[in-house]
Amino acid sequence: MELGYARVSTVKQDLDRQIDALGQTGIAAERIYVDKKSGSTVDRPGLRAVLEYARDGDVIVVHTLDRLGRTVRDTLNLIHDLSERNIGVRNLADPIKVDSSNPDDPMAQLSVVLLALFGQMERTYTLERAAHARAVATAKGRRVGRPSVVDPDKLAYAEHLRTLGHTMAEIVAKTGITRTSLYRHLPPRPPESVTAGPEPAADPGPET
């Protein structure tokens, strides 16, 4: 059986175009599940209902794949989970046609592979953008991450213990500050010499 799923992001948007396209494929209106929810919203009753209703051999049809998930990776994970239940996914209007219900069709399987590739690219670009944003913020002197909640007196005591040569485990035990917070707030130890010779002079940097 083919089951339809349609979604728009807000209640002000219209589902008619998607429902009409799904209906033209022969899917009855009572088998088209709908949501007026953002793709980033986990609680989507229509999607939950179609996933619960679908049985072995069924195919979930969508107008475009972005109706299923917020990202390519979300959609790919859902396709994979459904394939474990022998439930297929087919799209109607995307440039790349996906039909995971037909494992014998090499082009259909190639589409799923391409989708996986795009999902990996999407994840890589997201991580690179986040890393770049952190580096820029750090270079400008802005602290990245959640605001510090470390007691300043405890932190000063931790710095004192660090100066005296205590290990990180000992500092954690004496101050109660977590190891992660200590690594975030304490300056790194100066590098130890790896030779018996004198310490090398600090690099003055490029001449200006």
Side-chain angles (χ1 to χ4, degrees):
M1 177 185 295
E2 288 194 340
L3 308 169
Y5 177 68
R7 179 183 63 80
V8 290
S9 297
T10 70
V11 295
K12 295 181 180 180
Q13 293 177 314
D14 198 336
L15 286 161
D16 289 350
R17 182 171 68 95
Q18 295 178 54
I19 293 174
D20 180 66
L22 293 167
Q24 288 185 24
T25 68
I27 302 175
E30 60 271 19
R31 291 290 173 257
I32 298 176
Y33 297 79
V34 300
D35 276 318
K36 289 192 174 183
K37 298 273 190 177
S38 167
S40 61
T41 303
V42 176
D43 183 20
R44 285 181 274 163
L47 180 60
R48 185 169 62 249
V50 71
L51 295 179
E52 291 174 353
Y53 184 87
R55 297 293 183 266
D56 187 319
D58 288 348
V59 179
I60 297 175
V61 184
V62 292
H63 189 248
T64 54
L65 288 173
D66 63 343
R67 300 302 86 196
L68 286 175
R70 181 173 59 91
T71 65
V72 175
R73 179 163 290 275
D74 289 343
T75 303
L76 184 66
N77 288 339
L78 180 56
I79 291 175
H80 175 75
D81 291 343
L82 289 170
S83 67
E84 295 290 305
R85 297 168 52 193
N86 196 31
I87 298 169
V89 171
R90 182 164 67 87
N91 60 341
L92 300 177
D94 286 308
I96 298 178
K97 302 301 181 184
V98 171
D99 186 357
S100 63
S101 66
N102 189 358
D104 296 326
D105 182 352
M107 293 306 297
Q109 295 309 303
L110 176 61
S111 298
V112 176
V113 171
L114 289 174
L115 189 65
L117 175 62
F118 294 147
Q120 182 59 44
M121 291 171 59
E122 179 181 61
R123 181 173 183 273
T124 299
Y125 294 153
T126 299
L127 292 174
E128 287 180 349
R129 286 194 295 268
H132 178 70
R134 288 194 298 270
V136 171
T138 301
K140 292 182 177 180
R142 296 199 300 266
R143 183 175 296 280
V144 180
R146 290 177 293 181
S148 172
V149 293
V150 178
D151 186 322
D153 292 335
K154 287 186 177 182
L155 185 59
Y157 181 43
E159 292 179 355
H160 174 67
L161 294 173
R162 180 72 170 269
T163 303
L164 294 178
H166 286 270
T167 66
M168 194 64 75
E170 290 171 338
I171 298 174
V172 170
K174 289 178 179 293
T175 64
I177 302 175
T178 65
R179 185 181 292 264
T180 302
S181 294
L182 288 172
Y183 280 125
R184 184 183 304 126
H185 291 89
L186 291 182
R189 292 184 190 273
E192 297 182 1
S193 176
V194 295
T195 71
E199 293 288 341
D203 184 359
E207 295 182 1
T208 57

